[in-house]
Coordinates of all heavy atoms in Angstrom, one line a residue:
M26 N -42.9 -24.8 12.3 CA -43.6 -24.8 13.6 C -43.1 -23.6 14.4 O -42.0 -23.3 14.5 CB -43.2 -26.1 14.3 CG -43.9 -26.2 15.7 SD -43.5 -27.6 16.6 CE -44.3 -28.9 15.7
R27 N -44.1 -23.0 15.0 CA -43.9 -21.8 15.8 C -44.1 -22.2 17.3 O -45.0 -22.9 17.6 CB -44.8 -20.7 15.5 CG -44.5 -20.1 14.1 CD -45.0 -18.7 13.9 NE -44.4 -18.1 12.8 CZ -43.2 -17.5 12.7 NH1 -42.5 -17.4 13.8 NH2 -42.7 -17.0 11.6
Y28 N -43.2 -21.7 18.2 CA -43.3 -21.9 19.6 C -43.7 -20.6 20.2 O -43.1 -19.6 20.1 CB -42.0 -22.4 20.2 CG -41.5 -23.7 19.5 CD1 -40.7 -23.7 18.4 CD2 -42.0 -24.9 20.0 CE1 -40.3 -24.9 17.9 CE2 -41.6 -26.1 19.5 CZ -40.7 -26.1 18.4 OH -40.3 -27.2 17.8
R29 N -44.8 -20.6 21.0 CA -45.3 -19.4 21.7 C -44.5 -19.2 23.0 O -44.8 -19.8 24.0 CB -46.8 -19.5 22.0 CG -47.6 -19.6 20.7 CD -49.0 -19.0 20.9 NE -49.7 -19.1 19.7 CZ -49.7 -18.2 18.7 NH1 -49.0 -17.1 18.9 NH2 -50.5 -18.3 17.7
L30 N -43.4 -18.5 22.9 CA -42.5 -18.3 24.0 C -42.3 -16.8 24.2 O -42.2 -16.0 23.3 CB -41.1 -18.9 23.7 CG -41.1 -20.4 23.4 CD1 -39.7 -20.7 22.9 CD2 -41.4 -21.1 24.7
Q31 N -42.4 -16.4 25.5 CA -42.1 -15.0 25.8 C -40.7 -15.0 26.5 O -40.5 -15.2 27.7 CB -43.2 -14.5 26.8 CG -44.5 -14.3 26.1 CD -45.5 -13.7 27.0 OE1 -45.3 -13.5 28.2 NE2 -46.6 -13.3 26.4
L32 N -39.7 -14.6 25.7 CA -38.3 -14.5 26.1 C -37.8 -13.1 25.8 O -38.2 -12.5 24.9 CB -37.5 -15.5 25.3 CG -37.9 -17.0 25.5 CD1 -37.2 -17.9 24.4 CD2 -37.5 -17.5 26.9
P33 N -36.9 -12.7 26.7 CA -36.3 -11.3 26.5 C -35.5 -11.4 25.2 O -34.9 -12.4 24.8 CB -35.4 -11.1 27.7 CG -35.3 -12.4 28.4 CD -36.4 -13.3 27.9
V34 N -35.5 -10.2 24.5 CA -34.8 -10.1 23.2 C -34.1 -8.7 23.1 O -34.7 -7.7 23.6 CB -35.7 -10.4 22.0 CG1 -36.8 -9.4 22.0 CG2 -35.0 -10.5 20.7
I35 N -33.0 -8.7 22.5 CA -32.3 -7.4 22.2 C -32.2 -7.4 20.7 O -31.8 -8.4 20.1 CB -30.9 -7.4 22.8 CG1 -31.0 -7.5 24.3 CG2 -30.2 -6.1 22.4 CD1 -29.6 -7.7 25.0
F36 N -32.5 -6.3 20.1 CA -32.4 -6.2 18.6 C -31.7 -4.9 18.2 O -31.7 -3.9 18.9 CB -33.7 -6.4 17.9 CG -34.8 -5.4 18.4 CD1 -35.1 -4.3 17.7 CD2 -35.6 -5.7 19.5 CE1 -36.1 -3.4 18.1 CE2 -36.6 -4.9 19.9 CZ -36.8 -3.7 19.2
H37 N -31.0 -5.0 17.1 CA -30.2 -3.9 16.5 C -30.5 -3.7 15.1 O -30.7 -4.6 14.3 CB -28.7 -4.3 16.6 CG -28.3 -4.9 17.9 ND1 -27.9 -4.2 19.0 CD2 -28.3 -6.2 18.3 CE1 -27.6 -5.0 20.0 NE2 -27.8 -6.2 19.6
W38 N -30.6 -2.4 14.7 CA -30.7 -2.1 13.2 C -30.1 -0.7 13.0 O -29.8 0.0 13.9 CB -32.2 -2.2 12.8 CG -33.0 -1.0 13.2 CD1 -33.4 0.1 12.4 CD2 -33.6 -0.7 14.5 NE1 -34.2 1.0 13.1 CE2 -34.3 0.5 14.4 CE3 -33.6 -1.4 15.7 CZ2 -35.0 1.0 15.4 CZ3 -34.3 -0.8 16.8 CH2 -35.0 0.4 16.6
D39 N -29.8 -0.5 11.7 CA -29.1 0.7 11.3 C -29.9 1.4 10.1 O -30.1 0.8 9.1 CB -27.7 0.4 10.8 CG -26.9 1.6 10.5 OD1 -27.4 2.7 10.4 OD2 -25.7 1.5 10.3
N40 N -30.5 2.5 10.4 CA -31.2 3.3 9.4 C -30.5 4.6 9.1 O -31.1 5.6 8.9 CB -32.6 3.5 9.8 CG -32.8 4.4 11.0 OD1 -31.8 4.7 11.6 ND2 -34.0 4.7 11.3
G41 N -29.1 4.5 9.1 CA -28.3 5.7 9.0 C -27.8 6.1 10.4 O -26.8 6.8 10.5
E42 N -28.4 5.6 11.4 CA -28.0 5.7 12.8 C -28.2 4.3 13.4 O -29.2 3.7 13.2 CB -28.9 6.7 13.4 CG -28.6 7.0 14.9 CD -29.5 8.1 15.5 OE1 -29.9 9.0 14.7 OE2 -29.7 8.0 16.7
M43 N -27.3 3.9 14.2 CA -27.3 2.6 14.9 C -28.3 2.6 16.0 O -28.3 3.5 16.8 CB -26.0 2.2 15.4 CG -25.9 0.7 15.7 SD -26.2 -0.3 14.3 CE -26.1 -1.9 15.0
H44 N -29.2 1.6 16.1 CA -30.3 1.6 17.1 C -30.1 0.2 17.9 O -29.9 -0.8 17.2 CB -31.7 1.6 16.6 CG -32.0 2.9 15.9 ND1 -32.4 4.0 16.5 CD2 -31.9 3.3 14.6 CE1 -32.6 5.0 15.7 NE2 -32.3 4.6 14.5
T45 N -30.3 0.2 19.2 CA -30.4 -1.0 20.0 C -31.6 -0.8 20.9 O -31.7 0.2 21.6 CB -29.2 -1.2 20.8 OG1 -28.0 -1.3 19.9 CG2 -29.3 -2.5 21.7
E46 N -32.5 -1.8 20.9 CA -33.7 -1.8 21.7 C -34.0 -3.2 22.2 O -33.3 -4.1 21.9 CB -35.0 -1.3 20.8 CG -34.9 0.1 20.4 CD -35.0 1.1 21.5 OE1 -35.5 0.8 22.6 OE2 -34.6 2.3 21.3
G47 N -35.0 -3.3 23.1 CA -35.3 -4.6 23.7 C -36.8 -4.8 23.6 O -37.6 -3.9 23.4
G48 N -37.2 -6.0 23.9 CA -38.6 -6.4 23.9 C -38.7 -7.9 24.3 O -37.8 -8.4 25.0
F49 N -39.8 -8.5 23.9 CA -40.0 -9.9 24.3 C -40.6 -10.6 23.0 O -41.3 -10.0 22.3 CB -41.0 -10.0 25.4 CG -40.5 -9.6 26.7 CD1 -40.6 -8.2 27.1 CD2 -39.8 -10.4 27.5 CE1 -40.1 -7.8 28.3 CE2 -39.3 -10.0 28.7 CZ -39.4 -8.7 29.1
T50 N -40.2 -11.9 22.9 CA -40.7 -12.7 21.8 C -42.2 -13.0 22.1 O -42.6 -13.1 23.2 CB -40.0 -14.0 21.6 OG1 -40.1 -14.8 22.8 CG2 -38.5 -13.7 21.3
C51 N -43.0 -13.1 21.0 CA -44.4 -13.6 21.1 C -44.4 -15.0 20.7 O -45.0 -15.9 21.2 CB -45.3 -12.8 20.2 SG -45.4 -11.0 20.6
D52 N -43.6 -15.3 19.6 CA -43.4 -16.7 19.1 C -42.1 -16.7 18.4 O -41.6 -15.7 17.9 CB -44.6 -17.2 18.3 CG -44.8 -16.5 17.0 OD1 -43.9 -16.3 16.2 OD2 -46.0 -16.1 16.7
V53 N -41.5 -17.9 18.4 CA -40.2 -18.2 17.8 C -40.3 -19.4 16.9 O -40.9 -20.4 17.2 CB -39.1 -18.4 18.9 CG1 -37.8 -18.7 18.3 CG2 -39.1 -17.3 19.9
A54 N -39.6 -19.3 15.7 CA -39.5 -20.5 14.8 C -38.1 -20.5 14.3 O -37.3 -19.6 14.5 CB -40.5 -20.3 13.6
L55 N -37.7 -21.6 13.7 CA -36.3 -21.7 13.1 C -36.1 -20.6 12.1 O -34.9 -20.2 11.8 CB -36.1 -23.1 12.5 CG -36.0 -24.2 13.5 CD1 -35.8 -25.5 12.8 CD2 -34.8 -24.0 14.5
D56 N -37.1 -20.1 11.4 CA -37.0 -19.2 10.3 C -37.4 -17.8 10.7 O -37.6 -16.9 9.8 CB -37.7 -19.7 9.1 CG -39.2 -19.8 9.3 OD1 -39.7 -19.6 10.4 OD2 -39.9 -20.0 8.2
G57 N -37.6 -17.5 12.0 CA -37.9 -16.1 12.3 C -38.5 -16.0 13.7 O -38.6 -16.9 14.5
V58 N -39.0 -14.7 14.0 CA -39.5 -14.4 15.3 C -40.5 -13.3 15.3 O -40.3 -12.4 14.4 CB -38.3 -14.1 16.3 CG1 -37.5 -12.9 15.8 CG2 -38.7 -14.0 17.7
L59 N -41.4 -13.3 16.1 CA -42.3 -12.1 16.3 C -42.0 -11.5 17.6 O -41.9 -12.2 18.7 CB -43.8 -12.6 16.3 CG -44.9 -11.5 16.4 CD1 -44.8 -10.5 15.2 CD2 -46.2 -12.1 16.5
I60 N -41.7 -10.2 17.6 CA -41.2 -9.5 18.8 C -42.2 -8.4 19.2 O -42.6 -7.6 18.3 CB -39.8 -8.9 18.5 CG1 -38.8 -10.0 18.2 CG2 -39.4 -8.0 19.7 CD1 -37.5 -9.5 17.6
R61 N -42.5 -8.3 20.5 CA -43.3 -7.2 21.0 C -42.4 -6.2 21.6 O -41.5 -6.5 22.4 CB -44.3 -7.8 22.1 CG -45.2 -6.7 22.6 CD -46.2 -7.4 23.7 NE -45.4 -7.8 24.9 CZ -45.2 -9.1 25.2 NH1 -45.8 -10.0 24.6 NH2 -44.5 -9.4 26.3
S62 N -42.5 -4.9 21.2 CA -41.6 -3.9 21.7 C -42.3 -2.5 21.6 O -43.1 -2.3 20.7 CB -40.3 -3.9 20.9 OG -39.5 -2.9 21.4
K63 N -41.9 -1.6 22.4 CA -42.4 -0.2 22.3 C -41.8 0.5 21.1 O -42.4 1.4 20.6 CB -42.0 0.6 23.6 CG -42.8 0.2 24.8 CD -42.4 1.0 26.0 CE -43.1 0.5 27.2 NZ -42.8 1.3 28.4
V64 N -40.6 0.1 20.7 CA -40.0 0.7 19.5 C -39.7 -0.4 18.5 O -39.2 -1.5 18.8 CB -38.6 1.3 19.9 CG1 -37.9 1.8 18.7 CG2 -38.8 2.4 20.9
C65 N -40.2 -0.2 17.2 CA -40.0 -1.2 16.2 C -39.3 -0.6 15.0 O -39.5 0.5 14.6 CB -41.4 -1.7 15.7 SG -42.4 -2.5 17.0
P66 N -38.4 -1.4 14.4 CA -37.7 -0.9 13.2 C -38.8 -0.9 12.1 O -39.8 -1.5 12.1 CB -36.7 -2.0 12.9 CG -36.7 -2.9 14.1 CD -37.9 -2.7 14.8
S67 N -38.5 -0.1 11.0 CA -39.4 0.0 9.9 C -39.5 -1.2 9.1 O -38.5 -2.0 9.1 CB -39.1 1.3 9.1 OG -37.8 1.2 8.6
L68 N -40.6 -1.4 8.4 CA -40.7 -2.5 7.4 C -39.6 -2.6 6.4 O -39.2 -1.5 5.9 CB -42.1 -2.4 6.7 CG -42.6 -3.6 6.0 CD1 -42.9 -4.7 7.0 CD2 -43.9 -3.2 5.3
G69 N -39.0 -3.7 6.2 CA -37.9 -3.9 5.3 C -36.5 -3.7 5.9 O -35.5 -3.9 5.2
S70 N -36.5 -3.3 7.2 CA -35.2 -3.0 7.8 C -34.4 -4.4 8.0 O -35.0 -5.4 8.4 CB -35.3 -2.4 9.2 OG -35.9 -1.1 9.1
D71 N -33.1 -4.3 7.9 CA -32.3 -5.4 8.2 C -32.0 -5.3 9.7 O -31.8 -4.2 10.3 CB -30.9 -5.4 7.5 CG -31.0 -5.6 6.0 OD1 -31.9 -6.5 5.7 OD2 -30.3 -5.0 5.3
V72 N -32.2 -6.4 10.5 CA -32.1 -6.4 11.9 C -31.4 -7.6 12.4 O -31.4 -8.7 11.8 CB -33.5 -6.3 12.5 CG1 -34.4 -7.5 12.2 CG2 -33.5 -6.1 14.0
R73 N -30.6 -7.4 13.5 CA -29.9 -8.5 14.2 C -30.7 -8.7 15.5 O -30.8 -7.8 16.3 CB -28.5 -8.2 14.5 CG -27.7 -9.3 15.2 CD -26.2 -9.1 15.2 NE -25.8 -7.9 15.7 CZ -25.5 -7.6 17.0 NH1 -25.5 -8.6 17.9 NH2 -25.1 -6.4 17.4
V74 N -31.1 -9.9 15.8 CA -31.9 -10.2 16.9 C -31.2 -11.2 17.8 O -30.6 -12.2 17.3 CB -33.3 -10.9 16.5 CG1 -34.1 -11.4 17.7 CG2 -34.1 -10.0 15.6
E75 N -31.1 -10.9 19.1 CA -30.5 -11.8 20.1 C -31.6 -12.2 21.1 O -32.1 -11.4 21.9 CB -29.4 -11.1 20.8 CG -28.3 -10.7 19.9 CD -27.3 -9.8 20.7 OE1 -26.6 -10.4 21.6 OE2 -27.2 -8.6 20.4
V76 N -32.0 -13.5 21.1 CA -32.9 -14.0 22.0 C -32.2 -14.6 23.2 O -31.3 -15.4 23.1 CB -33.8 -15.1 21.4 CG1 -34.8 -15.7 22.4 CG2 -34.6 -14.6 20.2
L77 N -32.6 -14.2 24.4 CA -31.9 -14.6 25.7 C -32.7 -15.8 26.3 O -33.8 -15.6 26.6 CB -31.8 -13.4 26.6 CG -31.3 -12.1 26.0 CD1 -31.3 -11.0 27.0 CD2 -29.9 -12.3 25.5
L78 N -32.0 -16.9 26.4 CA -32.6 -18.1 26.9 C -32.1 -18.4 28.3 O -30.9 -18.2 28.6 CB -32.2 -19.3 26.0 CG -32.6 -19.2 24.6 CD1 -32.0 -20.3 23.8 CD2 -34.1 -19.2 24.4
P79 N -32.9 -18.8 29.2 CA -32.5 -19.2 30.6 C -31.5 -20.4 30.5 O -31.5 -21.1 29.6 CB -33.7 -19.5 31.3 CG -34.8 -19.8 30.3 CD -34.4 -19.1 29.0
S80 N -30.7 -20.5 31.6 CA -29.8 -21.6 31.7 C -30.5 -22.9 31.6 O -31.4 -23.2 32.4 CB -29.0 -21.5 33.0 OG -28.1 -22.6 33.1
P81 N -30.0 -23.9 30.8 CA -30.7 -25.2 30.8 C -30.2 -26.1 31.9 O -30.7 -27.1 32.1 CB -30.2 -25.7 29.4 CG -28.9 -25.1 29.1 CD -29.1 -23.7 29.7
D82 N -29.1 -25.7 32.6 CA -28.5 -26.5 33.6 C -28.2 -25.8 34.9 O -27.1 -25.9 35.4 CB -27.3 -27.2 33.0 CG -26.2 -26.2 32.5 OD1 -26.4 -25.0 32.7 OD2 -25.2 -26.7 32.0
R83 N -29.0 -25.1 35.4 CA -28.9 -24.5 36.8 C -27.5 -23.9 37.2 O -27.3 -23.6 38.3 CB -29.3 -25.6 37.9 CG -30.7 -26.1 37.7 CD -31.0 -26.9 38.9 NE -32.2 -27.7 38.7 CZ -33.3 -27.3 39.2 NH1 -33.4 -26.4 40.1 NH2 -34.4 -28.0 39.0
N84 N -26.6 -23.8 36.3 CA -25.3 -23.1 36.6 C -25.4 -21.6 36.5 O -24.4 -20.9 36.8 CB -24.2 -23.7 35.8 CG -24.3 -23.3 34.3 OD1 -25.2 -22.6 33.9 ND2 -23.3 -23.7 33.5
G85 N -26.6 -21.1 36.1 CA -26.8 -19.7 36.1 C -26.3 -19.0 34.8 O -26.5 -17.8 34.6
V86 N -25.7 -19.7 33.9 CA -25.2 -19.2 32.6 C -26.3 -19.4 31.6 O -26.5 -20.5 31.2 CB -23.8 -19.8 32.2 CG1 -23.4 -19.2 30.9 CG2 -22.8 -19.5 33.3
G87 N -26.9 -18.3 31.1 CA -27.9 -18.5 30.1 C -27.3 -18.6 28.7 O -26.1 -18.5 28.5
L88 N -28.2 -18.8 27.8 CA -27.8 -18.9 26.4 C -28.3 -17.8 25.6 O -29.4 -17.2 25.9 CB -28.3 -20.2 25.8 CG -27.8 -21.5 26.4 CD1 -28.5 -22.7 25.9 CD2 -26.3 -21.6 26.3
R89 N -27.7 -17.5 24.5 CA -28.1 -16.4 23.6 C -28.1 -16.9 22.2 O -27.0 -17.5 21.8 CB -27.1 -15.2 23.8 CG -27.4 -14.0 23.0 CD -26.4 -12.9 23.2 NE -26.4 -12.5 24.6 CZ -26.5 -11.3 25.1 NH1 -26.5 -10.3 24.2 NH2 -26.5 -11.0 26.3
I90 N -29.2 -16.8 21.5 CA -29.2 -17.3 20.1 C -29.5 -16.1 19.2 O -30.3 -15.3 19.5 CB -30.1 -18.5 19.9 CG1 -30.0 -19.0 18.5 CG2 -31.6 -18.1 20.1 CD1 -30.6 -20.4 18.3
Q91 N -28.8 -16.0 18.1 CA -28.9 -14.8 17.2 C -29.5 -15.2 15.9 O -29.3 -16.3 15.4 CB -27.5 -14.3 17.0 CG -27.4 -13.1 16.2 CD -26.0 -12.5 16.1 OE1 -25.6 -11.7 17.0 NE2 -25.2 -13.0 15.2
C92 N -30.2 -14.2 15.3 CA -30.8 -14.3 14.0 C -30.5 -13.0 13.3 O -30.7 -11.9 13.9 CB -32.3 -14.6 14.1 SG -33.2 -14.4 12.6
I93 N -30.1 -13.1 12.1 CA -30.0 -11.8 11.2 C -31.0 -12.0 10.2 O -31.0 -13.0 9.4 CB -28.5 -11.7 10.7 CG1 -27.6 -11.5 11.8 CG2 -28.5 -10.5 9.7 CD1 -26.1 -11.5 11.4
G94 N -31.9 -11.0 10.1 CA -33.0 -11.1 9.1 C -33.5 -9.7 8.7 O -32.9 -8.7 8.9
K95 N -34.7 -9.8 8.2 CA -35.4 -8.6 7.7 C -36.8 -8.5 8.3 O -37.5 -9.5 8.5 CB -35.5 -8.7 6.2 CG -36.0 -7.4 5.5 CD -35.9 -7.6 4.0 CE -34.5 -7.5 3.4 NZ -33.8 -6.3 3.6
V96 N -37.2 -7.2 8.7 CA -38.5 -7.0 9.2 C -39.5 -7.2 8.1 O -39.5 -6.5 7.1 CB -38.6 -5.6 9.8 CG1 -40.1 -5.3 10.3 CG2 -37.6 -5.4 11.0
T97 N -40.4 -8.1 8.2 CA -41.4 -8.5 7.2 C -42.8 -8.0 7.5 O -43.7 -8.1 6.6 CB -41.4 -10.0 6.9 OG1 -41.7 -10.7 8.1 CG2 -40.0 -10.4 6.4
R98 N -43.1 -7.7 8.8 CA -44.4 -7.2 9.1 C -44.4 -6.4 10.4 O -43.6 -6.6 11.3 CB -45.4 -8.4 9.2 CG -45.2 -9.3 10.3 CD -46.2 -10.4 10.2 NE -45.9 -11.5 11.1 CZ -46.7 -12.1 11.9 NH1 -48.0 -11.8 11.9 NH2 -46.3 -13.1 12.7
L99 N -45.3 -5.5 10.4 CA -45.6 -4.7 11.6 C -47.0 -4.9 12.1 O -47.9 -5.0 11.2 CB -45.4 -3.2 11.3 CG -44.0 -2.8 10.9 CD1 -43.9 -1.3 10.5 CD2 -43.0 -3.0 12.0
V100 N -47.2 -5.1 13.4 CA -48.6 -5.4 13.9 C -48.9 -4.5 15.0 O -48.0 -4.2 15.9 CB -48.6 -6.9 14.4 CG1 -50.0 -7.2 15.0 CG2 -48.2 -7.9 13.3
N101 N -50.1 -3.9 15.0 CA -50.5 -3.0 16.1 C -51.9 -3.6 16.6 O -52.9 -3.5 15.9 CB -50.8 -1.6 15.7 CG -51.2 -0.7 16.8 OD1 -51.6 -1.1 17.9 ND2 -51.1 0.6 16.5
Q102 N -51.8 -4.3 17.8 CA -53.0 -4.9 18.3 C -53.4 -4.2 19.6 O -52.7 -4.4 20.6 CB -52.8 -6.4 18.6 CG -52.7 -7.2 17.4 CD -52.5 -8.7 17.7 OE1 -51.7 -9.1 18.6 NE2 -53.2 -9.5 17.0
G103 N -54.4 -3.3 19.5 CA -54.8 -2.6 20.7 C -53.7 -1.7 21.3 O -53.7 -1.6 22.5
G104 N -52.9 -1.1 20.4 CA -51.9 -0.2 20.9 C -50.6 -0.9 21.3 O -49.6 -0.3 21.7
V105 N -50.5 -2.2 21.2 CA -49.3 -3.0 21.5 C -48.6 -3.3 20.2 O -49.2 -4.0 19.3 CB -49.6 -4.3 22.3 CG1 -48.4 -5.1 22.5 CG2 -50.3 -4.0 23.6
M106 N -47.4 -2.8 20.0 CA -46.7 -3.0 18.7 C -45.9 -4.3 18.8 O -45.2 -4.6 19.8 CB -45.8 -1.8 18.5 CG -46.5 -0.5 18.2 SD -47.5 -0.5 16.8 CE -46.3 -0.8 15.5
S107 N -45.8 -4.9 17.6 CA -45.0 -6.1 17.4 C -44.5 -6.0 16.0 O -45.0 -5.3 15.1 CB -45.8 -7.4 17.5 OG -46.4 -7.5 18.8
F108 N -43.4 -6.7 15.7 CA -42.8 -6.8 14.4 C -42.3 -8.2 14.1 O -41.8 -8.9 15.0 CB -41.8 -5.8 14.1 CG -40.5 -5.9 14.9 CD1 -39.4 -6.5 14.4 CD2 -40.4 -5.3 16.2 CE1 -38.2 -6.5 15.1 CE2 -39.3 -5.4 16.9 CZ -38.2 -6.0 16.4
G109 N -42.4 -8.7 12.9 CA -41.9 -10.0 12.5 C -40.6 -9.9 11.8 O -40.4 -9.0 11.0
V110 N -39.7 -10.8 12.1 CA -38.4 -10.8 11.5 C -38.3 -12.2 10.8 O -38.5 -13.2 11.4 CB -37.3 -10.7 12.5 CG1 -35.9 -10.8 11.8 CG2 -37.3 -9.3 13.1
E111 N -37.9 -12.2 9.5 CA -37.7 -13.4 8.8 C -36.2 -13.6 8.7 O -35.5 -12.7 8.2 CB -38.3 -13.4 7.4 CG -38.5 -14.7 6.7 CD -39.3 -14.5 5.5 OE1 -40.5 -14.3 5.6 OE2 -38.6 -14.6 4.4
G112 N -35.7 -14.7 9.2 CA -34.2 -15.0 9.2 C -34.0 -16.3 9.9 O -34.9 -16.9 10.5
D113 N -32.8 -16.9 9.8 CA -32.6 -18.2 10.3 C -31.9 -18.2 11.7 O -30.9 -17.5 11.8 CB -31.8 -19.1 9.3 CG -32.6 -19.4 8.1 OD1 -33.8 -19.6 8.2 OD2 -32.0 -19.4 7.0
F114 N -32.4 -19.0 12.6 CA -31.7 -19.3 13.8 C -31.0 -20.7 13.6 O -31.6 -21.6 13.0 CB -32.7 -19.5 15.0 CG -33.3 -18.3 15.5 CD1 -34.6 -17.9 15.1 CD2 -32.6 -17.4 16.3 CE1 -35.2 -16.8 15.6 CE2 -33.2 -16.2 16.8 CZ -34.5 -15.9 16.4
D115 N -29.7 -20.8 14.0 CA -29.1 -22.1 13.9 C -28.0 -22.2 15.0 O -27.7 -21.2 15.7 CB -28.4 -22.3 12.5 CG -27.4 -21.2 12.2 OD1 -26.6 -20.8 13.0 OD2 -27.4 -20.8 11.0
D116 N -27.5 -23.4 15.2 CA -26.5 -23.7 16.2 C -25.3 -22.8 16.1 O -24.6 -22.6 17.1 CB -26.1 -25.1 16.3 CG -27.3 -26.0 16.7 OD1 -28.2 -25.5 17.3 OD2 -27.2 -27.3 16.5
A117 N -24.9 -22.4 14.9 CA -23.7 -21.5 14.8 C -23.9 -20.2 15.5 O -22.9 -19.5 15.8 CB -23.4 -21.3 13.3
H118 N -25.1 -19.8 15.8 CA -25.3 -18.5 16.5 C -25.8 -18.7 17.9 O -26.4 -17.8 18.5 CB -26.4 -17.7 15.7 CG -25.9 -17.3 14.3 ND1 -26.4 -17.9 13.2 CD2 -25.0 -16.4 14.0 CE1 -25.8 -17.3 12.2 NE2 -24.9 -16.4 12.6
L119 N -25.4 -19.8 18.5 CA -25.7 -20.1 19.9 C -24.5 -19.8 20.8 O -23.5 -20.4 20.6 CB -26.2 -21.5 20.1 CG -26.7 -22.0 21.5 CD1 -27.9 -21.2 21.9 CD2 -26.9 -23.5 21.4
T120 N -24.6 -18.9 21.8 CA -23.5 -18.6 22.6 C -23.9 -18.6 24.1 O -25.1 -18.3 24.4 CB -22.8 -17.3 22.3 OG1 -23.8 -16.2 22.4 CG2 -22.2 -17.2 20.9
R121 N -23.0 -18.8 25.0 CA -23.3 -18.7 26.4 C -23.1 -17.2 26.8 O -22.2 -16.6 26.4 CB -22.3 -19.5 27.2 CG -22.6 -21.0 27.1 CD -21.9 -21.8 28.2 NE -22.2 -23.2 28.1 CZ -23.3 -23.8 28.5 NH1 -24.2 -23.1 29.0 NH2 -23.4 -25.1 28.3
Q122 N -24.0 -16.8 27.6 CA -23.9 -15.4 28.2 C -22.9 -15.4 29.3 O -22.7 -16.4 30.0 CB -25.2 -15.0 28.8 CG -26.4 -14.9 27.7 CD -27.6 -14.5 28.4 OE1 -27.7 -13.6 29.3 NE2 -28.7 -15.0 28.0
T123 N -22.2 -14.3 29.5 CA -21.2 -14.2 30.5 C -21.9 -13.9 31.8 O -22.9 -13.2 31.8 CB -20.2 -13.2 30.2 OG1 -20.8 -11.9 30.0 CG2 -19.4 -13.5 29.0
Q124 N -21.4 -14.4 32.9 CA -22.0 -14.1 34.2 C -21.5 -12.8 34.7 O -20.4 -12.4 34.4 CB -21.6 -15.2 35.3 CG -22.3 -16.5 35.1 CD -21.9 -17.4 36.2 OE1 -20.8 -17.6 36.5 NE2 -22.9 -18.1 36.7
R125 N -22.3 -12.1 35.4 CA -22.0 -10.7 35.9 C -21.9 -10.8 37.4 O -22.4 -11.4 38.1 CB -23.0 -9.7 35.5 CG -23.0 -9.5 34.0 CD -24.0 -8.5 33.6 NE -24.1 -8.6 32.2 CZ -24.8 -7.8 31.5 NH1 -25.4 -6.8 32.0 NH2 -24.8 -7.9 30.2

């Protein structure tokens, strides 16, 4: 099941040089995510994705869930780039963000 959520995301990949970029989710599932971003890793790249979730309990501390996976598709819809990552989200990769 996919959830159509627009959440901020930070993603990292290494193609001989370490890259960190940001974007927004288009949809999220337990086995992957579709991300809209101006910069996309190339097809087949290994990528670490951190989805930033708002605080579930009004204390202002958000949650961050991580997925490590592979870029399985690139999409260009009317000049808007997106890429799909296949990998697993699970409770072991759920952390609280620190307050600033």
